[in-house]
Amino acid sequence: TSNLHSLIGPTFFISILSMIMIYLYESYANLNRSNKIIKKEVEKSISLQKIKKVFEGCNLKVKFSEEIEKDIWKKYLFISIFATLQSFYKNPTGWIMEHKKEEVEKFLDEVIKIAKENGIDLKDQKEKVIKQALNIPYNSKMSMQIDFENNQKTELENITGFLAKKSEFIKRYYDALRS
């Protein structure tokens, strides 16, 4: 069987996934426990199961989340730290963990604090992120570092900009990378 991704192309495919994720996020973000809402959520759940089957039929691995905002922050936690530090030091994950682990931990604390200010509790993620970073290949690079190395347009504003507005510690890296 051919999969949807190859039929419609990666850009359009990602757009469709984004729209579905926004729909799912809004569905769960607006949850409340009145009887009408519960009935509506059951109907949505049935629809979500149909969507899940479509994705699975396209050979796509699907994971629906009851805590989509927290899951997004968990991914952002890892990406923001390593994309920023790798780009700043011009070295891969292994080198960062070997030579700058204290900075990684400080960065983790800052992002976890910012997440908490935004209503997301990530305190249980610090050790998981460190373990994940120690278990990936030494020379792994985030796409932002590769973009910096190739003098390409980077995702600095999207990945680090928001955090830099909330943390003086992170702002140092952001300002240095912008110049």
Side-chain angles (χ1 to χ4, degrees):
T1 57
S2 60
N3 65 40
L4 185 62
H5 180 270
S6 64
L7 292 174
I8 62 176
T11 304
F12 186 64
F13 182 73
I14 290 169
S15 297
I16 290 171
L17 286 178
S18 298
M19 288 187 294
I20 291 170
M21 293 307 295
I22 290 167
Y23 167 78
L24 295 175
Y25 171 75
E26 288 172 353
S27 296
Y28 287 112
N30 296 321
L31 243 164
N32 113 16
R33 293 293 163 217
S34 72
N35 286 336
K36 282 183 177 178
I37 297 297
I38 290 173
K39 182 180 179 202
K40 190 174 181 181
E41 290 304 316
V42 167
E43 290 168 0
K44 283 183 186 176
S45 178
I46 292 167
S47 296
L48 293 177
Q49 291 303 318
K50 288 178 183 176
I51 292 170
K52 184 177 179 183
K53 284 183 182 182
V54 168
F55 278 88
E56 288 170 346
C58 296
N59 297 323
L60 297 172
K61 192 174 183 180
V62 179
K63 178 185 174 191
F64 285 95
S65 173
E66 297 290 328
E67 297 180 289
I68 189 67
E69 194 168 357
K70 184 173 184 175
D71 288 342
I72 290 168
W73 269 95
K74 287 190 308 192
K75 294 222 181 280
Y76 184 53
L77 179 65
F78 186 89
I79 291 167
S80 65
I81 291 167
F82 289 98
T84 304
L85 291 177
Q86 287 177 6
S87 299
F88 182 80
Y89 287 110
K90 300 176 180 144
N91 277 293
T93 304
W95 186 93
I96 299 295
M97 291 305 293
E98 187 177 337
H99 298 279
K100 301 296 177 182
K101 190 172 178 193
E102 286 181 18
E103 281 180 65
V104 169
E105 291 182 9
K106 173 69 173 154
F107 212 119
L108 276 162
D109 291 338
E110 289 292 305
V111 178
I112 289 168
K113 182 180 95 181
I114 293 166
K116 185 71 170 172
E117 291 167 0
N118 285 275
I120 305 296
D121 184 7
L122 296 177
K123 67 179 175 245
D124 65 330
Q125 294 300 306
K126 186 174 181 177
E127 292 304 316
K128 290 177 183 177
V129 168
I130 290 169
K131 184 177 179 181
Q132 181 183 359
L134 291 170
N135 286 318
I136 62 176
Y138 187 93
N139 289 317
S140 294
K141 294 180 182 181
M142 303 296 281
S143 63
M144 190 164 92
Q145 180 188 1
I146 294 167
D147 290 340
F148 270 107
E149 290 173 352
N150 294 323
N151 294 317
Q152 301 288 321
K153 183 176 172 31
T154 71
E155 299 172 294
L156 178 65
E157 190 61 41
N158 295 330
I159 292 176
T160 315
F162 168 76
L163 299 171
K165 292 174 188 167
K166 307 280 185 180
S167 164
E168 286 299 316
F169 174 79
I170 296 170
K171 188 176 184 313
R172 285 185 359 213
Y173 298 98
Y174 175 75
D175 288 345
L177 289 167
R178 283 189 57 189
S179 56

